[in-house]
Amino acid sequence: MKKKDMTIALLVVIVWGANFTVIKLGLDGIPSMLLACLRFLITALPAVFFIKRPNLEWQYIIFYGLTVGVGQFACLFYAMEIGMPASLASIIVELQAFISPFFAWIFLKERLKTKQVIGFLVAAVGLFIIGIASGANKITKVPINAFILTILAPVFWAISNIIVRLSSQKAIAKEEKLDMLSLIVWGSLIPPLPLLAFALIFDTPETLIGVISNLKGISVFAVLYLSIGATLFGYGMWGKLIAKYSIAKIAPLSLLVLIVGLITARIVLSEQLSKMQWIGVIFILIGLIITNLDFKAIKRYFDKYRAKYIESKEEQF
């Protein structure tokens, strides 16, 4: 990978990793559903006036917007509002790396690799350990509803990945290429109204108007960071990198998101995990590594190195 592209990839990883800490900071001044609503509103406007709508039927755009905005981020934001730490959220959300292949196997009839099954089982053990530890330790206790909602976030993310895959297949059938940035921008038009409806269920109109009228600087920063930084820049650049390089080469870099997420939550929010929670995190990280590693490429590398070593030994004699 070129140095410029590697720099962009690392910037995206840092932006995404810090994303969970920024959500927590934003929730300090804005209710979860309103924060999510503003995130997608700023992402969509004014970008929709400058970015052409993807050449897809509206149903794909609508379902993408509903699964990502109303499903994934409504669950995640509300879970973090009621007690899910940013550090654990950054780990659990990455479970979509296991859920997506299973959904692709069920709905798209794609082959499920052995390493994906093994990685999922290892990560499931980690999730179970985190669940037990989060309920047992009073200091690091996580409400059960927050825990369940956080698990639902990667489920909806995985469903949105299936929608993206179907949209991509539709584009290919038309001899076109899916513009991911366009789908993100136009898909962001869908969540604001449902999210605003949820916001009005949880809070009164007067409360929401009061929040908007008295936004703190950190709240404005959080909204802009989540919409422009994490969404437009993050997904836009990531899509370009995947288009330029193989998914196998780019996907493993996303593992760094977990590390950045844990570090930023520790530094900015002073979040601490119990020893058992750390053990669960390690299991999930190992599961992700197993799933993302290209074992065939590693084997080819060692076979090549071994052949060169044998050849050099034969030349000595």
Side-chain angles (χ1 to χ4, degrees):
M1 189 185 297
K2 294 179 180 179
K3 287 184 179 179
K4 180 184 176 182
D5 292 331
M6 178 57 78
T7 301
I8 291 173
L10 291 176
L11 281 174
V12 172
V13 164
I14 291 169
V15 168
W16 278 352
N19 175 61
F20 298 91
T21 294
V22 174
I23 292 172
K24 206 73 172 176
L25 293 173
L27 290 171
D28 188 47
I30 307 176
S32 58
M33 295 301 105
L34 182 59
L35 179 61
C37 175
L38 291 174
R39 169 184 182 150
F40 287 100
L41 192 63
I42 300 298
T43 299
L45 301 175
V48 289
F49 297 111
F50 304 100
I51 296 177
K52 185 180 178 182
R53 181 171 74 86
N55 188 17
L56 292 168
E57 292 86 348
W58 267 105
Q59 63 196 49
Y60 290 97
I61 299 172
I62 291 171
F63 282 127
Y64 177 77
L66 289 175
T67 52
V68 170
V70 186
Q72 178 186 347
F73 285 105
C75 288
L76 177 63
F77 279 34
Y78 188 62
M80 293 181 70
E81 182 179 40
I82 61 176
M84 173 57 68
S87 50
L88 281 184
S90 68
I91 298 293
I92 295 173
V93 166
E94 288 299 321
L95 290 175
Q96 70 82 23
F98 308 108
I99 301 170
S100 293
F102 273 97
F103 281 0
W105 173 58
I106 294 170
F107 298 109
L108 303 178
K109 309 302 179 185
E110 293 186 3
R111 189 170 67 88
L112 197 60
K113 298 178 181 178
T114 303
K115 68 175 184 177
Q116 292 172 328
V117 177
I118 295 172
F120 171 77
L121 293 174
V122 172
V125 172
L127 187 64
F128 177 76
I129 293 172
I130 289 174
I132 297 298
S134 299
N137 193 318
K138 290 183 179 180
I139 298 175
T140 56
K141 185 178 177 64
V142 176
I144 185 64
N145 49 349
F147 193 75
I148 293 171
L149 283 170
T150 308
I151 293 174
L152 285 175
V155 171
F156 281 110
W157 187 1
I159 295 172
S160 74
N161 287 338
I162 300 300
I163 294 170
V164 170
R165 188 72 61 85
L166 291 171
S167 301
S168 181
Q169 290 174 356
K170 281 279 185 181
I172 292 171
K174 298 175 184 177
E175 297 184 348
E176 298 176 356
K177 191 173 183 179
L178 178 64
D179 187 341
M180 193 62 205
L181 181 60
S182 176
L183 179 59
I184 290 167
V185 169
W186 282 84
S188 295
L189 282 173
I190 310 303
L193 284 178
L195 290 171
L196 182 59
F198 281 129
L200 289 169
I201 291 173
F202 290 119
D203 295 289
T204 63
E206 291 77 17
T207 300
L208 298 179
I209 292 172
V211 169
I212 296 293
S213 303
N214 299 284
L215 283 178
K216 303 175 187 175
I218 191 66
S219 300
V220 175
F221 166 76
V223 172
L224 294 177
Y225 185 101
L226 295 172
S227 56
I228 299 173
T231 306
L232 290 176
F233 170 76
Y235 285 101
M237 291 298 102
W238 196 258
K240 286 185 178 181
L241 289 172
I242 287 178
K244 191 172 183 179
Y245 301 96
S246 66
I247 293 178
K249 197 167 188 177
I250 299 299
L253 292 173
S254 65
L255 293 175
L256 296 174
V257 172
L258 285 74
I259 308 301
V260 176
L262 289 168
I263 292 173
T264 52
R266 180 72 184 88
I267 294 173
V268 179
L269 304 175
S270 300
E271 288 187 358
Q272 295 186 21
L273 302 182
S274 67
K275 290 180 180 179
M276 286 297 290
Q277 285 174 330
W278 271 114
I279 292 172
V281 167
I282 291 170
F283 267 92
I284 292 176
L285 187 57
I286 291 172
L288 285 167
I289 291 172
I290 292 171
T291 301
N292 283 277
L293 274 182
D294 188 344
F295 291 99
K296 289 183 178 179
I298 294 172
K299 185 179 182 298
R300 285 195 300 268
Y301 173 80
F302 279 107
D303 287 344
K304 186 178 179 181
Y305 178 81
R306 183 171 173 271
K308 285 184 177 180
Y309 177 77
I310 293 172
E311 185 179 342
S312 65
K313 283 294 184 181
E314 288 176 350
E315 287 177 356
Q316 290 178 6
F317 293 101

